[in-house]
Amino acid sequence: APTHHPYIMSHYQEQLRKMTIDRAGTIASFVEDGEMYVDAKEWVNPSPPDEDHFARQFIFGDFHADTHHFIEQAKTRGPKEILCAASASALVSPLVSIIDKCLVQDITGTAQFMRAVSGATKEMFLTPGRFFGGMSFRLTFAVYFGTYAVANLSELALDVKKVTDDETRKTSKVAASGVANIGLLAWRDSTFARVYSKTVPHATPTRTLGFFATRDMLTMYATFYMAPVAAEYLEKEHGWGTNAAELSTALAIPAAMQIITAPLHIHAMDFYAKPVVDSTSERWAVIKKEFKTVSFARSFRILPAFGIGSFSNNKFRELFIKQENEELLLSRRITRAYTQSFGA
């Protein structure tokens, strides 16, 4: 039976005529007794996600087809997706670059972690040209720009192909963004090892690259697979709200995974700096010595990388990419604010 929908009533009640909305399907609508109805069988909700799933808009690991409702053509949406990724990367890269560079210096014995962080932070504020033009920031910017851009463009491709199956979307997004993130981080961290360690620069050993890749695959697995399972558990077993469960696990689970991946990161850097040691106990001694610092710092860096970066990336997309609810666009918000302040 036809189902009354308040969104259609509130936005189209003045029109009181038949209409068709072209999206994944069409919506047959008609008027009866002064009210507008839609055929629910073909309905695809054009409004933003309901309040139960609002947090999904800002989670990097989200893959659902109904999270965003962009309707802009691919030829103009594509460049905007890339610019949004670049803007988000610019916000997150300063802090992440400082943490990651200083961890390399600490593990390889070049500098103590907190002293290195203090020095890098001073450089950022006192000599910004040197900091933002430096290799640490530039490579980190490339990593997260590439990661966010590939994630955005993979969603664009799925939307163009009208893929609505959640599992298909998840597999595609994991494959695309995973390859980008893992590859770019392995490249950047091998460069960091060559530049910021005390050893003579040399080719990055296969073991080091392998441990980098394993480290980041585990983080991606935690993001796309473990976090949703944990969120569902909190909802069903402990009565958490959907937004609270999804947002908290999207940050907490990848952060917790760094406790497991910290030894991999330490050994990868240590093996580059010292390919040959007298005994295995020396390797374990380095891991034991650096574990607390590395696990804490790498857990903390998840917050800007998957928190600030993901939030800002999706917020920029909401503000600049045309969607069915045009009131969310920045241009509409500016017009509305101007009208409210100065009148029509």
Side-chain angles (χ1 to χ4, degrees):
T3 303
H4 175 265
H5 196 285
Y7 180 89
I8 295 293
M9 275 297 299
S10 62
H11 286 72
Y12 299 103
Q13 59 184 356
E14 294 182 2
Q15 297 181 26
L16 295 179
R17 59 182 176 83
K18 293 182 179 181
M19 63 172 60
T20 298
I21 298 180
D22 184 16
R23 196 169 180 269
T26 58
I27 306 170
S29 63
F30 62 93
V31 176
E32 181 177 315
D33 295 330
E35 293 191 350
M36 182 171 287
Y37 292 81
V38 296
D39 183 351
K41 291 187 297 182
E42 294 293 323
W43 169 244
V44 178
N45 184 4
S47 65
D50 57 50
E51 293 183 0
D52 288 341
H53 298 290
F54 180 78
R56 287 181 181 174
Q57 299 178 83
F58 309 112
I59 296 174
F60 177 75
D62 177 68
F63 49 82
H64 297 87
D66 59 351
T67 299
H68 302 285
H69 298 95
F70 299 130
I71 59 174
E72 188 158 347
Q73 291 185 347
K75 64 181 180 181
T76 53
R77 177 179 166 184
K80 290 183 179 180
E81 294 280 23
I82 293 172
L83 287 173
C84 290
S87 300
S89 180
L91 291 177
V92 74
S93 294
L95 179 57
V96 174
S97 68
I98 289 175
I99 293 174
D100 289 353
K101 170 187 173 182
C102 295
L103 280 177
V104 176
Q105 293 176 316
D106 186 68
I107 294 170
T108 59
T110 305
Q112 194 272 338
F113 179 70
M114 290 308 299
R115 290 179 182 174
V117 169
S118 176
T121 303
K122 289 179 180 178
E123 180 183 58
M124 180 174 65
F125 287 106
L126 299 180
T127 55
R130 181 178 177 183
F131 175 85
F132 290 104
M135 187 191 70
S136 175
F137 174 81
R138 288 186 288 108
L139 294 191
T140 303
F141 175 84
V143 167
Y144 288 98
F145 168 60
T147 300
Y148 297 143
V150 169
N152 291 356
L153 293 175
S154 67
E155 286 191 29
L156 169 59
L158 291 167
D159 290 345
V160 169
K161 295 180 179 179
K162 300 187 185 302
V163 177
T164 57
D165 178 68
D166 283 343
E167 284 303 313
T168 302
R169 291 181 68 91
K170 178 166 70 172
T171 300
S172 300
K173 186 173 180 180
V174 169
S177 57
V179 168
N181 184 256
I182 292 167
L184 288 169
L185 277 172
W187 161 69
R188 189 210 62 170
D189 286 350
S190 64
T191 303
F192 275 16
R194 287 197 301 272
V195 174
Y196 297 124
S197 64
K198 293 189 296 185
T199 189
V200 177
H202 57 86
T204 305
T206 302
R207 182 191 295 190
T208 294
L209 291 173
F211 273 71
F212 285 156
T214 304
R215 172 200 68 189
D216 297 322
M217 284 194 309
L218 288 171
T219 299
M220 296 299 284
Y221 180 78
T223 301
F224 283 95
Y225 293 95
M226 294 178 65
V229 172
E232 185 177 355
Y233 171 78
L234 290 175
E235 288 183 64
K236 291 183 177 180
E237 300 298 328
H238 296 280
W240 281 46
T242 302
N243 280 320
E246 291 184 346
L247 189 57
S248 60
T249 56
L251 295 176
I253 299 301
M257 179 58 75
Q258 305 315 302
I259 297 174
I260 297 174
T261 62
L264 304 179
H265 181 76
I266 296 167
H267 180 66
M269 289 295 180
D270 181 50
F271 189 81
Y272 178 88
K274 296 177 294 182
V276 179
V277 295
D278 294 333
S279 65
T280 303
S281 61
E282 287 188 41
R283 299 292 190 195
W284 284 111
V286 174
I287 292 174
K288 183 178 179 179
K289 174 177 177 290
E290 299 292 343
F291 178 76
K292 289 183 180 179
T293 298
V294 173
S295 59
F296 172 78
R298 285 190 57 80
S299 296
F300 178 77
R301 72 186 284 284
I302 289 294
L303 299 179
F306 286 2
I308 298 172
S310 181
F311 175 86
S312 58
N313 176 47
N314 283 297
K315 195 64 178 178
F316 288 138
R317 297 171 76 204
E318 175 188 286
L319 291 173
F320 294 106
I321 298 176
K322 187 177 180 181
Q323 55 197 286
E324 288 168 341
N325 184 359
E326 295 188 354
E327 295 305 312
L328 296 174
L329 294 172
L330 180 62
S331 58
R332 288 296 184 92
R333 296 185 184 196
I334 292 175
T335 301
R336 187 166 60 248
Y338 179 85
T339 302
Q340 291 173 350
S341 299
F342 302 102

